[in-house]
């Protein structure tokens, strides 16, 4: 017979594990069902690092809601005999036979009534392991207890693995964003030294606790810039960059065939980064306790020659150190920025490439929505534009379309573009409603003291049982979307709201209407409507007729056709044009799609 209470508890535990941001958050969901097992009186969990240092202990007794929690850094070399290998290890032991030098939880286990301890030790990762121990009495079914214990451990290990994986993915995403931002910042200046100062500012604290930048000169390394997370250590780092002979000699030896070098321990003896010699640099407070100082030096190499070096100083756990590939990529971007100061045409190519990376690589593919987008760069010789769009599949089965426009162009506008798109995307993916997502983005912009404002609109499309779609639109000062009905009529989706990044504590409201089969929603930036012909007429005045002529067309044709028509139409105006089109295709399989009537489109162009 299926053990329903335990099965339900295990199901809840797996659900909690999928959401947990740290393993300790699972404690209540693990301990309570184990204590509900017949014969189990106490559960004690411990967590250890790779040096057999006890980091955490938690004990809970049956009938109690208040756990005993011990956070410590207690070194216990004797616990080495318990450290598991690859697979979890389950043991049955006598409480009186537990060695206190090996079992810090022994005192808790002996206090419980009963005569046996069932323990499972398991590895979390390469740097640490953990254990769960149960005090049970003679009435306990030891086989059942072991089974439940190992099942709980499986969930804990899976949770920890998932957290690590999400952390790695987040780190990769953060690294990619940082590299893109570094490219933007460096690419926004044609002055070599200003470019390198930007590198130092971007890298701290995201990459390291401190950074030094030098240019390679015939007479030796030339100090350019330094920055540090601790203001009081800024001057010491600058002094080391300018005058320290140890550092100057090391940088001068950097050969053209070398990659990033990592230095720590004895390799830093005699340097300004060794703790005894310069505590103001080596003792940076990372907020996580003292860690050994690590220094990396990466050459700035472009087109076969070394232009300079970037030196990073770290005072953080090993897990938070960047790898050589990332440092190599960052250094390469910096070197190219210097070279690009002499090659302006390369800058134009980089702008176009970066513009593509600020937009989604592809839109979601669904069987009920025909989605497409178009992006036309107004003037490829200018800086990166601020238009963005995305489409997000939400947990409730709806799809959220978003489009926005950052005021101006250039590195700052592109940085805000990335912040806005990724912030909205993350919130909408998590199920946050559009109004709250826009409010939180507005708050983030205000907290970052963004000097530019932006507009955005979020349209949430929720299919209903009757075959229609609820269209919920929330706007922050953005041009209203248009709806192309199946009969060719075009209507404007009205939804007001203040620009983002202007005022604090702004709220945004959504307005609802509906779509039926073969209706199409069109979102766009003002580059479309503000395209102006020689006579002064804006494309906005002819847009409804042009869109109506496209009835029956698929989303891709509508997006590309409108963008093309606006470019042909305009005689002035060089703003980028972004379009995002969604056509509701939730029709019975035998209905088919209406064929595009290109004669209507041609007639509208006359």
């Amino acid at each position: 017979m299926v053990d329903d209470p335990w099965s339900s508890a295990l199901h809840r535990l797996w659900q909690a594990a999928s959401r947990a941001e740290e393993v300790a958050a699972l404690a209540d969901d693990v301990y309570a069902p184990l204590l509900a097992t017949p014969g189990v009186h106490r559960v004690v969990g411990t967590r250890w690092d790779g040096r057999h240092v006890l980091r955490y202990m938690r004990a809970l007794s049956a009938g109690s809601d208040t756990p005993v929690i011990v956070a410590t850094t207690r070194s216990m070399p004797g616990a080495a005999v318990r450290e598991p290998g690859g697979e979890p290890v389950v043991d049955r032991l006598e409480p009186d036979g537990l060695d206190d030098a090996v079992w810090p939880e022994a005192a808790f286990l002996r206090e419980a009534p009963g005569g046996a301890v069932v323990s499972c030790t398991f590895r979390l990762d390469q740097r640490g392991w953990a254990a769960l121990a149960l005090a049970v009495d003679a009435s306990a079914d030891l086989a059942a207890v072991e089974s439940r214990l190992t099942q709980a451990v499986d969930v804990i290990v899976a949770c920890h693995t998932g957290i690590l994986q999400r952390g790695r993915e987040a780190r990769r995403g953060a690294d990619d964003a940082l590299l893109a931002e570094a490219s933007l910042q460096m690419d926004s200046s044609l002055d070599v030294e200003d470019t390198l100062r930007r590198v130092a500012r971007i890298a701290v604290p995201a990459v390291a606790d401190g950074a030094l930048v030098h240019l390679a000169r015939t007479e030796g390394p030339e100090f350019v810039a330094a920055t540090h997370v601790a203001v009081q250590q800024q001057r010491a780092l600058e002094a080391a960059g300018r005058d320290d002979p140890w550092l100057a000699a090391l940088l001068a030896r950097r050969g053209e065939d070398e990659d990033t070098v990592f230095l720590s321990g004895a390799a830093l003896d005699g340097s300004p980064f060794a703790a005894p010699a310069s505590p103001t640099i080596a003792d940076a407070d990372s907020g996580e306790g003292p860690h050994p100082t690590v220094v990396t030096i990466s050459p700035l190499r472009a087109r076969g020659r070394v232009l300079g070096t970037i030196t990073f100083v770290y005072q953080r756990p090993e897990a938070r150190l960047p790898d050589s590939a990332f440092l190599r990529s960052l250094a390469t971007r910096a070197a190219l920025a210097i070279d690009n100061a002499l090659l302006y045409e390369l800058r134009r190519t980089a702008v176009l490439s970066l513009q593509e990376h600020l937009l989604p690589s592809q839109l979601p593919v669904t069987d009920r929505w025909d989605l497409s987008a178009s992006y036309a760069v107004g003037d490829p010789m200018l800086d990166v534009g601020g238009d963005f769009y995305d489409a997000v599949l939400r947990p409730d089965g709806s799809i959220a379309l978003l489009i926005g426009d950052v005021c101006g162009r250039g590195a700052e506008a592109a940085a805000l573009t990335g912040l806005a798109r990724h912030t909205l995307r993350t919130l909408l993916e998590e199920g946050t409603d559009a109004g709250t997502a826009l409010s939180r983005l507005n708050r983030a912009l205000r907290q970052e003291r963004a000097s530019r404002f932006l507009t955005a609109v979020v349209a949430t499309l929720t299919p209903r049982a009757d075959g229609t779609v609820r269209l919920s639109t929330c706007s922050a000062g953005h041009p209203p979307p248009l709806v192309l009905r199946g009969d060719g009529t075009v209507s404007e989706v009205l939804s007001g709201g203040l620009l983002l990044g202007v005022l604090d504590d702004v709220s945004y409201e959504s307005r609802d209407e509906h779509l039926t089969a073969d209706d199409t929603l069109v979102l766009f930036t003002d580059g479309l409507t503000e395209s102006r012909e020689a006579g002064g007429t804006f494309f906005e005045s002819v847009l409804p007729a042009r869109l109506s002529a496209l009835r029956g067309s698929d989303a891709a044709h509508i997006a590309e056709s409108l963008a093309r028509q606006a470019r042909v139409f305009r005689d002035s105006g060089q703003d980028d044009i972004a379009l995002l089109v969604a056509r509701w295709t939730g029709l019975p399989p035998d209905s088919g799609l209406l064929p595009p009537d290109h004669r209507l489109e041609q007639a509208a162009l006359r």
Side-chain angles (χ1 to χ4, degrees), residues 171 178 199-211 227-230 313-314 316 320 322:
R171 179 66 178 270
L178 180 63
V199 175
R201 290 196 296 269
I202 291 168
V204 175
V207 175
D209 299 284
T227 188
H228 199 283
V229 291
V313 182
Y314 312 89
R316 56 185 62 185
R320 292 179 55 201

Side-chain angles (χ1 to χ4, degrees), residues 79-441:
V81 299
R82 294 178 59 192
E83 183 174 356
E87 297 297 326
V89 177
V90 178
D91 293 304
R92 298 181 187 178
L93 309 106
E94 296 295 326
D96 293 338
L98 298 178
D99 183 349
D100 289 342
V102 177
W103 293 78
E105 62 267 50
F108 291 107
L109 296 170
R110 293 191 194 106
E111 291 176 358
V117 171
V118 180
S119 170
C120 182
T121 56
F122 52 96
R123 181 157 294 283
L124 291 171
D125 52 47
Q126 294 300 316
R127 296 186 300 274
W129 54 282
L132 270 179
L134 311 181
V136 302
D137 62 25
S139 68
D141 181 342
L142 294 182
V145 170
E146 289 184 1
S147 175
R148 294 187 178 189
L149 181 58
T150 55
Q151 288 176 342
V153 166
D154 286 343
V155 179
I156 294 172
V157 172
C159 175
H160 186 72
T161 302
I163 291 170
L164 292 180
Q165 178 63 28
R166 292 192 294 273
R168 286 190 291 269
E169 292 174 354
R171 179 66 178 270
R172 283 195 295 269
D175 286 349
D176 290 344
L178 180 63
L179 290 173
E181 173 66 9
S183 294
L184 285 169
Q185 292 287 353
M186 293 182 293
D187 194 44
S188 65
S189 174
L190 294 177
D191 180 83
V192 172
E193 292 190 1
D194 180 59
T195 296
L196 291 176
R197 290 189 187 98
R198 290 167 183 257
V199 175
R201 290 196 296 269
I202 291 168
V204 175
V207 175
D209 299 284
L212 285 162
V213 182
H214 291 79
L215 283 176
R217 302 297 190 191
T218 304
E219 59 275 15
E222 177 187 337
F223 170 75
V224 176
T227 188
H228 199 283
V229 291
V231 176
Q232 66 271 22
Q233 298 179 31
Q234 180 80 25
R235 292 180 182 176
L237 193 60
E238 290 177 352
R242 286 191 178 94
D243 305 321
D244 185 77
W246 181 94
L247 182 60
L250 180 64
L251 297 181
R253 293 196 304 269
R254 298 298 297 149
E256 294 188 3
D257 58 344
E258 295 184 47
D259 198 355
T260 295
V261 62
F262 285 73
L263 305 173
S264 61
L268 296 177
D269 289 347
S271 78
F273 312 109
S278 181
T280 57
I281 295 176
D283 294 342
D285 182 7
S286 69
E288 301 179 13
H291 298 281
T293 300
V294 178
V295 174
T296 63
I297 302 175
S298 301
L300 297 171
R301 185 183 296 109
R303 296 197 296 170
R305 59 193 182 102
V306 174
L307 306 177
T309 57
I310 301 178
T311 302
F312 290 132
V313 182
Y314 312 89
Q315 194 71 30
R316 56 185 62 185
E318 181 182 351
R320 292 179 55 201
L321 295 180
D323 58 31
S324 58
F326 172 82
L327 294 174
R328 181 169 58 251
S329 181
L330 181 60
T332 299
R333 291 164 192 256
L336 286 176
I338 300 171
D339 204 43
N340 285 350
L342 304 175
L343 301 170
Y344 184 75
E345 182 60 26
L346 291 181
R347 180 175 179 273
R348 185 184 79 89
T349 304
V351 165
L352 290 174
S353 176
L354 188 55
Q355 185 75 69
E356 295 176 358
H357 286 84
L358 291 174
L359 301 172
S361 58
Q362 62 182 16
L363 297 176
V365 177
T366 74
D367 57 355
R368 307 193 77 182
W369 287 102
D370 176 20
L371 299 175
S372 189
S374 176
Y375 195 103
V377 177
D379 184 351
M381 291 301 293
L382 294 177
D383 276 317
V384 181
D387 292 14
F388 64 93
Y389 62 83
D390 212 338
V392 180
L393 297 177
R394 289 161 57 82
D396 62 357
S398 64
I399 186 170
L401 307 180
L402 60 101
I403 195 166
D405 187 2
V406 176
C407 173
R409 308 180 71 92
E412 185 177 359
L416 289 181
T417 298
L419 171 66
R421 184 171 80 85
H422 290 293
T423 297
L424 289 177
R425 179 181 180 86
T426 299
L427 292 172
L428 293 170
E429 279 183 333
E430 293 175 348
T432 305
D433 68 270
T436 301
L438 288 173
S439 295
R440 289 177 63 177
L441 173 57

Side-chain angles (χ1 to χ4, degrees), residues 384-388 404-417 420 445 450-456 478 499-500 502 526 575:
V384 181
D387 292 14
F388 64 93
D405 187 2
V406 176
C407 173
R409 308 180 71 92
E412 185 177 359
L416 289 181
T417 298
L445 294 171
S451 60
R452 301 171 186 261
F453 63 84
L454 61 96
T455 68
H478 197 80
L499 302 172
L500 294 162
V502 177
D526 59 12
D575 199 4

Side-chain angles (χ1 to χ4, degrees), residues 29-42:
D29 295 291
V30 172
Y31 283 44
L34 288 175
L35 285 171
T37 302
V40 176
H41 293 275
R42 180 163 290 179

Side-chain angles (χ1 to χ4, degrees), residues 593-606:
L593 298 177
L594 296 175
D597 191 338
H598 295 292
R599 291 174 299 173
L600 291 173
E601 180 181 348
Q602 293 300 321
L605 292 173
R606 295 194 183 99

